[in-house]
Amino acid sequence: MVPHDRNVDLHMHSSASDGVLSPRDLVARAAANGLEVMALTDHDTLDGLSEAAEAASDLGIRFVPGVEVSVTWAGETLHLLGLGVDPQAPLLAGALREMQHSRGQRAQQMDDALVAAGLPSVLSQALGYAGNPLLVGRTHFARALVARGVCGHIQEVFDRYLTPGKPGYVVHNWARLSEAMAWIQDAGGTPVLAHPARYRLSETARWALLQEFRTLGGQAIEVSTGSHSREDTRRYQQIALQWGMRASRGSDFHSPTESRCDVGRAPPLPDGCDPVWAYW
Ligand code: AMP
Ligand code: MN
Ligand code: MN
Ligand code: MN
C-alpha cells in the first residue's frame, strides 16, 4: 500500500509519445523533483515503459506502468489513463498497435488539411519529432510549425490551426470508452478519467459520462492535474466526493519549456479526497 502523503505523480509523457524527454531523462527529472511514486502515461503506447521502469529502479522511485488512451465519446475526444497495466497483456498491446496505425493515417490527413489552409507541408518534420513515427500527433505538428516560423509558440499553433473547428483539425474516431476500459481492466490496470474539466460537454453529458464510466467499472478521476485550474480541482474534488470516487494526481508534464506544470508539481489532492494510490 502506498501511504497517502507520498509525493505521487501519475500522469506524464516521454518521447515515446509527445513528450520531449526520453523515459530515462524523465525519471531522472522526477527523482530530482523529489517524486516517490511515478507513472509514465504516454498516448496510446507502452513503448517507453521498460526503459522508465529500469531507470526508476536504478534511482529508487516506485514505478507504475501506465498509458493514456485516446477515446471518442459522444463526438468528443476523451483521455482515459490506465494505471498499473501489465505491458505484456496481449489485448491492450494489440489494441494500441491498431490505434497507432490509424494515428499514422490521421497525420497524412492533418498535413493535407494544413496545406489546403495555405501552410507548408511539415509531415516529414513532424514525423522526425515523433520518437515513434506511428505515435505522431498534433503536438509534433505544432513543434514543426513553430520551427518553420509559422507561429511563435505551440499554443498559438493549437489555437489557430489544431483545435476543433480550426483548419488543420481532423476529426478522428479513437477507441470507444467501453473498449478502452476493457483493455485496461484486462491488463490489470486501474482506469482513471484524465483531466475531466477539459472536455467540452454539457452538464447533462458530463453526468452521463460519469454514469457510464462508473457502470463500466470506473472508480477514479483525475482531480489534481496540470491541466486543471484551481477552480476545476475544487469542482472535481466535490464530484469525486459526491460520487464516492477515488482521486488521482498528475502533472501531465510534456516538456521543460512547454508544460505549465513540472513533474511532481501538480497541487496536492484537496482534503477529503480518497487517493487512488492508497489501494495499491
Ligand atoms: P493528439 O492525441 O495527437 O490529438 O494530441 C493531443 C495532445 O495535444 C494533448 O495530449 C496535448 O499534449 C496537446 N494539446 C491538445 N490540445 C492542446 C491545446 N489546446 N494546447 C496545447 N496543447 C494541446
Ligand atoms: Mn500530449
Ligand atoms: Mn490528455
Ligand atoms: Mn496527458
Side-chain angles (χ1 to χ4, degrees), residues 129-150:
Y129 281 118
N132 173 356
L134 289 175
L135 262 304
V136 64
R138 285 185 285 161
T139 310
H140 305 111
F141 276 85
R143 290 185 186 132
L145 287 165
V146 170
R148 283 287 188 95
V150 173

PDB file of all heavy atoms in Angstrom, residues 129-150:
ATOM      1  N   TYR A 129      10.002  14.621 -35.318  1.00  0.00           N
ATOM      2  CA  TYR A 129       9.877  14.964 -33.895  1.00  0.00           C
ATOM      3  C   TYR A 129       9.305  13.805 -33.086  1.00  0.00           C
ATOM      4  O   TYR A 129       9.465  13.759 -31.870  1.00  0.00           O
ATOM      5  CB  TYR A 129       8.960  16.173 -33.700  1.00  0.00           C
ATOM      6  CG  TYR A 129       9.640  17.491 -33.994  1.00  0.00           C
ATOM      7  CD1 TYR A 129       9.193  18.320 -35.003  1.00  0.00           C
ATOM      8  CD2 TYR A 129      10.732  17.905 -33.234  1.00  0.00           C
ATOM      9  CE1 TYR A 129       9.807  19.532 -35.270  1.00  0.00           C
ATOM     10  CE2 TYR A 129      11.359  19.103 -33.494  1.00  0.00           C
ATOM     11  CZ  TYR A 129      10.888  19.919 -34.510  1.00  0.00           C
ATOM     12  OH  TYR A 129      11.502  21.110 -34.764  1.00  0.00           O
ATOM     13  N   ALA A 130       8.596  12.915 -33.761  1.00  0.00           N
ATOM     14  CA  ALA A 130       7.990  11.798 -33.040  1.00  0.00           C
ATOM     15  C   ALA A 130       9.041  10.692 -32.886  1.00  0.00           C
ATOM     16  O   ALA A 130       9.617  10.246 -33.866  1.00  0.00           O
ATOM     17  CB  ALA A 130       6.781  11.283 -33.808  1.00  0.00           C
ATOM     18  N   GLY A 131       9.281  10.274 -31.651  1.00  0.00           N
ATOM     19  CA  GLY A 131      10.245   9.192 -31.431  1.00  0.00           C
ATOM     20  C   GLY A 131       9.837   7.958 -32.219  1.00  0.00           C
ATOM     21  O   GLY A 131      10.645   7.311 -32.868  1.00  0.00           O
ATOM     22  N   ASN A 132       8.549   7.644 -32.188  1.00  0.00           N
ATOM     23  CA  ASN A 132       7.982   6.555 -32.967  1.00  0.00           C
ATOM     24  C   ASN A 132       7.050   7.183 -33.998  1.00  0.00           C
ATOM     25  O   ASN A 132       6.063   7.805 -33.631  1.00  0.00           O
ATOM     26  CB  ASN A 132       7.202   5.619 -32.030  1.00  0.00           C
ATOM     27  CG  ASN A 132       6.448   4.544 -32.797  1.00  0.00           C
ATOM     28  OD1 ASN A 132       6.440   4.522 -34.027  1.00  0.00           O
ATOM     29  ND2 ASN A 132       5.812   3.659 -32.057  1.00  0.00           N
ATOM     30  N   PRO A 133       7.354   7.032 -35.294  1.00  0.00           N
ATOM     31  CA  PRO A 133       6.543   7.706 -36.317  1.00  0.00           C
ATOM     32  C   PRO A 133       5.061   7.341 -36.240  1.00  0.00           C
ATOM     33  O   PRO A 133       4.204   8.140 -36.632  1.00  0.00           O
ATOM     34  CB  PRO A 133       7.141   7.237 -37.643  1.00  0.00           C
ATOM     35  CG  PRO A 133       8.365   6.471 -37.318  1.00  0.00           C
ATOM     36  CD  PRO A 133       8.450   6.243 -35.843  1.00  0.00           C
ATOM     37  N   LEU A 134       4.736   6.171 -35.694  1.00  0.00           N
ATOM     38  CA  LEU A 134       3.325   5.793 -35.583  1.00  0.00           C
ATOM     39  C   LEU A 134       2.622   6.528 -34.445  1.00  0.00           C
ATOM     40  O   LEU A 134       1.409   6.501 -34.334  1.00  0.00           O
ATOM     41  CB  LEU A 134       3.186   4.283 -35.386  1.00  0.00           C
ATOM     42  CG  LEU A 134       3.522   3.428 -36.599  1.00  0.00           C
ATOM     43  CD1 LEU A 134       3.466   1.963 -36.247  1.00  0.00           C
ATOM     44  CD2 LEU A 134       2.584   3.732 -37.759  1.00  0.00           C
ATOM     45  N   LEU A 135       3.398   7.171 -33.598  1.00  0.00           N
ATOM     46  CA  LEU A 135       2.804   7.911 -32.480  1.00  0.00           C
ATOM     47  C   LEU A 135       2.723   9.389 -32.789  1.00  0.00           C
ATOM     48  O   LEU A 135       2.586  10.210 -31.891  1.00  0.00           O
ATOM     49  CB  LEU A 135       3.621   7.673 -31.209  1.00  0.00           C
ATOM     50  CG  LEU A 135       3.071   6.600 -30.277  1.00  0.00           C
ATOM     51  CD1 LEU A 135       1.633   6.934 -29.892  1.00  0.00           C
ATOM     52  CD2 LEU A 135       3.091   5.231 -30.891  1.00  0.00           C
ATOM     53  N   VAL A 136       2.825   9.734 -34.054  1.00  0.00           N
ATOM     54  CA  VAL A 136       2.810  11.149 -34.427  1.00  0.00           C
ATOM     55  C   VAL A 136       1.458  11.757 -34.065  1.00  0.00           C
ATOM     56  O   VAL A 136       0.412  11.135 -34.227  1.00  0.00           O
ATOM     57  CB  VAL A 136       3.156  11.312 -35.923  1.00  0.00           C
ATOM     58  CG1 VAL A 136       2.120  10.688 -36.809  1.00  0.00           C
ATOM     59  CG2 VAL A 136       3.387  12.772 -36.273  1.00  0.00           C
ATOM     60  N   GLY A 137       1.502  12.972 -33.536  1.00  0.00           N
ATOM     61  CA  GLY A 137       0.267  13.622 -33.114  1.00  0.00           C
ATOM     62  C   GLY A 137       0.332  15.122 -33.338  1.00  0.00           C
ATOM     63  O   GLY A 137       1.275  15.647 -33.934  1.00  0.00           O
ATOM     64  N   ARG A 138      -0.685  15.780 -32.816  1.00  0.00           N
ATOM     65  CA  ARG A 138      -0.804  17.223 -33.063  1.00  0.00           C
ATOM     66  C   ARG A 138       0.381  18.005 -32.490  1.00  0.00           C
ATOM     67  O   ARG A 138       0.813  18.994 -33.072  1.00  0.00           O
ATOM     68  CB  ARG A 138      -2.117  17.735 -32.459  1.00  0.00           C
ATOM     69  CG  ARG A 138      -3.324  17.344 -33.287  1.00  0.00           C
ATOM     70  CD  ARG A 138      -4.579  17.960 -32.716  1.00  0.00           C
ATOM     71  NE  ARG A 138      -5.033  17.292 -31.509  1.00  0.00           N
ATOM     72  CZ  ARG A 138      -5.867  17.820 -30.630  1.00  0.00           C
ATOM     73  NH1 ARG A 138      -6.330  19.048 -30.799  1.00  0.00           N
ATOM     74  NH2 ARG A 138      -6.255  17.134 -29.565  1.00  0.00           N
ATOM     75  N   THR A 139       0.896  17.555 -31.338  1.00  0.00           N
ATOM     76  CA  THR A 139       1.999  18.289 -30.718  1.00  0.00           C
ATOM     77  C   THR A 139       3.230  18.303 -31.637  1.00  0.00           C
ATOM     78  O   THR A 139       3.943  19.310 -31.716  1.00  0.00           O
ATOM     79  CB  THR A 139       2.356  17.646 -29.361  1.00  0.00           C
ATOM     80  OG1 THR A 139       1.152  17.498 -28.619  1.00  0.00           O
ATOM     81  CG2 THR A 139       3.328  18.480 -28.578  1.00  0.00           C
ATOM     82  N   HIS A 140       3.461  17.188 -32.330  1.00  0.00           N
ATOM     83  CA  HIS A 140       4.618  17.142 -33.239  1.00  0.00           C
ATOM     84  C   HIS A 140       4.430  18.103 -34.409  1.00  0.00           C
ATOM     85  O   HIS A 140       5.377  18.760 -34.837  1.00  0.00           O
ATOM     86  CB  HIS A 140       4.846  15.701 -33.732  1.00  0.00           C
ATOM     87  CG  HIS A 140       5.000  14.709 -32.622  1.00  0.00           C
ATOM     88  ND1 HIS A 140       4.048  13.740 -32.359  1.00  0.00           N
ATOM     89  CD2 HIS A 140       5.960  14.562 -31.680  1.00  0.00           C
ATOM     90  CE1 HIS A 140       4.429  13.034 -31.308  1.00  0.00           C
ATOM     91  NE2 HIS A 140       5.580  13.506 -30.871  1.00  0.00           N
ATOM     92  N   PHE A 141       3.200  18.181 -34.928  1.00  0.00           N
ATOM     93  CA  PHE A 141       2.915  19.164 -35.983  1.00  0.00           C
ATOM     94  C   PHE A 141       3.120  20.580 -35.447  1.00  0.00           C
ATOM     95  O   PHE A 141       3.668  21.442 -36.134  1.00  0.00           O
ATOM     96  CB  PHE A 141       1.479  19.007 -36.516  1.00  0.00           C
ATOM     97  CG  PHE A 141       1.354  17.948 -37.567  1.00  0.00           C
ATOM     98  CD1 PHE A 141       1.177  16.613 -37.225  1.00  0.00           C
ATOM     99  CD2 PHE A 141       1.439  18.278 -38.918  1.00  0.00           C
ATOM    100  CE1 PHE A 141       1.078  15.621 -38.201  1.00  0.00           C
ATOM    101  CE2 PHE A 141       1.334  17.298 -39.909  1.00  0.00           C
ATOM    102  CZ  PHE A 141       1.152  15.965 -39.546  1.00  0.00           C
ATOM    103  N   ALA A 142       2.668  20.803 -34.225  1.00  0.00           N
ATOM    104  CA  ALA A 142       2.802  22.150 -33.646  1.00  0.00           C
ATOM    105  C   ALA A 142       4.276  22.525 -33.517  1.00  0.00           C
ATOM    106  O   ALA A 142       4.678  23.644 -33.865  1.00  0.00           O
ATOM    107  CB  ALA A 142       2.112  22.189 -32.283  1.00  0.00           C
ATOM    108  N   ARG A 143       5.093  21.583 -33.065  1.00  0.00           N
ATOM    109  CA  ARG A 143       6.534  21.883 -32.933  1.00  0.00           C
ATOM    110  C   ARG A 143       7.142  22.171 -34.299  1.00  0.00           C
ATOM    111  O   ARG A 143       7.968  23.073 -34.445  1.00  0.00           O
ATOM    112  CB  ARG A 143       7.257  20.714 -32.252  1.00  0.00           C
ATOM    113  CG  ARG A 143       6.882  20.586 -30.779  1.00  0.00           C
ATOM    114  CD  ARG A 143       7.676  19.501 -30.044  1.00  0.00           C
ATOM    115  NE  ARG A 143       7.139  19.365 -28.689  1.00  0.00           N
ATOM    116  CZ  ARG A 143       6.820  18.206 -28.106  1.00  0.00           C
ATOM    117  NH1 ARG A 143       7.016  17.064 -28.741  1.00  0.00           N
ATOM    118  NH2 ARG A 143       6.322  18.193 -26.890  1.00  0.00           N
ATOM    119  N   ALA A 144       6.733  21.393 -35.313  1.00  0.00           N
ATOM    120  CA  ALA A 144       7.282  21.596 -36.656  1.00  0.00           C
ATOM    121  C   ALA A 144       6.877  22.968 -37.204  1.00  0.00           C
ATOM    122  O   ALA A 144       7.684  23.662 -37.830  1.00  0.00           O
ATOM    123  CB  ALA A 144       6.797  20.480 -37.581  1.00  0.00           C
ATOM    124  N   LEU A 145       5.638  23.375 -36.955  1.00  0.00           N
ATOM    125  CA  LEU A 145       5.178  24.668 -37.487  1.00  0.00           C
ATOM    126  C   LEU A 145       5.848  25.840 -36.767  1.00  0.00           C
ATOM    127  O   LEU A 145       6.079  26.887 -37.371  1.00  0.00           O
ATOM    128  CB  LEU A 145       3.647  24.761 -37.398  1.00  0.00           C
ATOM    129  CG  LEU A 145       2.922  23.868 -38.422  1.00  0.00           C
ATOM    130  CD1 LEU A 145       1.448  23.696 -38.074  1.00  0.00           C
ATOM    131  CD2 LEU A 145       3.072  24.437 -39.846  1.00  0.00           C
ATOM    132  N   VAL A 146       6.200  25.651 -35.499  1.00  0.00           N
ATOM    133  CA  VAL A 146       6.958  26.683 -34.784  1.00  0.00           C
ATOM    134  C   VAL A 146       8.377  26.753 -35.362  1.00  0.00           C
ATOM    135  O   VAL A 146       8.896  27.834 -35.648  1.00  0.00           O
ATOM    136  CB  VAL A 146       6.991  26.414 -33.261  1.00  0.00           C
ATOM    137  CG1 VAL A 146       7.982  27.342 -32.563  1.00  0.00           C
ATOM    138  CG2 VAL A 146       5.596  26.578 -32.666  1.00  0.00           C
ATOM    139  N   ALA A 147       8.974  25.586 -35.603  1.00  0.00           N
ATOM    140  CA  ALA A 147      10.339  25.555 -36.158  1.00  0.00           C
ATOM    141  C   ALA A 147      10.370  26.222 -37.532  1.00  0.00           C
ATOM    142  O   ALA A 147      11.365  26.859 -37.894  1.00  0.00           O
ATOM    143  CB  ALA A 147      10.831  24.112 -36.252  1.00  0.00           C
ATOM    144  N   ARG A 148       9.283  26.109 -38.293  1.00  0.00           N
ATOM    145  CA  ARG A 148       9.209  26.746 -39.610  1.00  0.00           C
ATOM    146  C   ARG A 148       8.897  28.238 -39.528  1.00  0.00           C
ATOM    147  O   ARG A 148       8.823  28.918 -40.546  1.00  0.00           O
ATOM    148  CB  ARG A 148       8.097  26.094 -40.445  1.00  0.00           C
ATOM    149  CG  ARG A 148       8.430  24.763 -41.022  1.00  0.00           C
ATOM    150  CD  ARG A 148       9.419  24.914 -42.185  1.00  0.00           C
ATOM    151  NE  ARG A 148       9.564  23.636 -42.840  1.00  0.00           N
ATOM    152  CZ  ARG A 148       8.872  23.255 -43.926  1.00  0.00           C
ATOM    153  NH1 ARG A 148       8.025  24.080 -44.498  1.00  0.00           N
ATOM    154  NH2 ARG A 148       9.062  22.065 -44.422  1.00  0.00           N
ATOM    155  N   GLY A 149       8.615  28.710 -38.319  1.00  0.00           N
ATOM    156  CA  GLY A 149       8.313  30.130 -38.161  1.00  0.00           C
ATOM    157  C   GLY A 149       6.872  30.502 -38.495  1.00  0.00           C
ATOM    158  O   GLY A 149       6.534  31.685 -38.575  1.00  0.00           O
ATOM    159  N   VAL A 150       5.999  29.494 -38.669  1.00  0.00           N
ATOM    160  CA  VAL A 150       4.593  29.784 -38.994  1.00  0.00           C
ATOM    161  C   VAL A 150       3.899  30.410 -37.779  1.00  0.00           C
ATOM    162  O   VAL A 150       3.060  31.294 -37.911  1.00  0.00           O
ATOM    163  CB  VAL A 150       3.865  28.496 -39.448  1.00  0.00           C
ATOM    164  CG1 VAL A 150       2.371  28.732 -39.616  1.00  0.00           C
ATOM    165  CG2 VAL A 150       4.468  27.990 -40.761  1.00  0.00           C
TER     166      VAL A 150
END
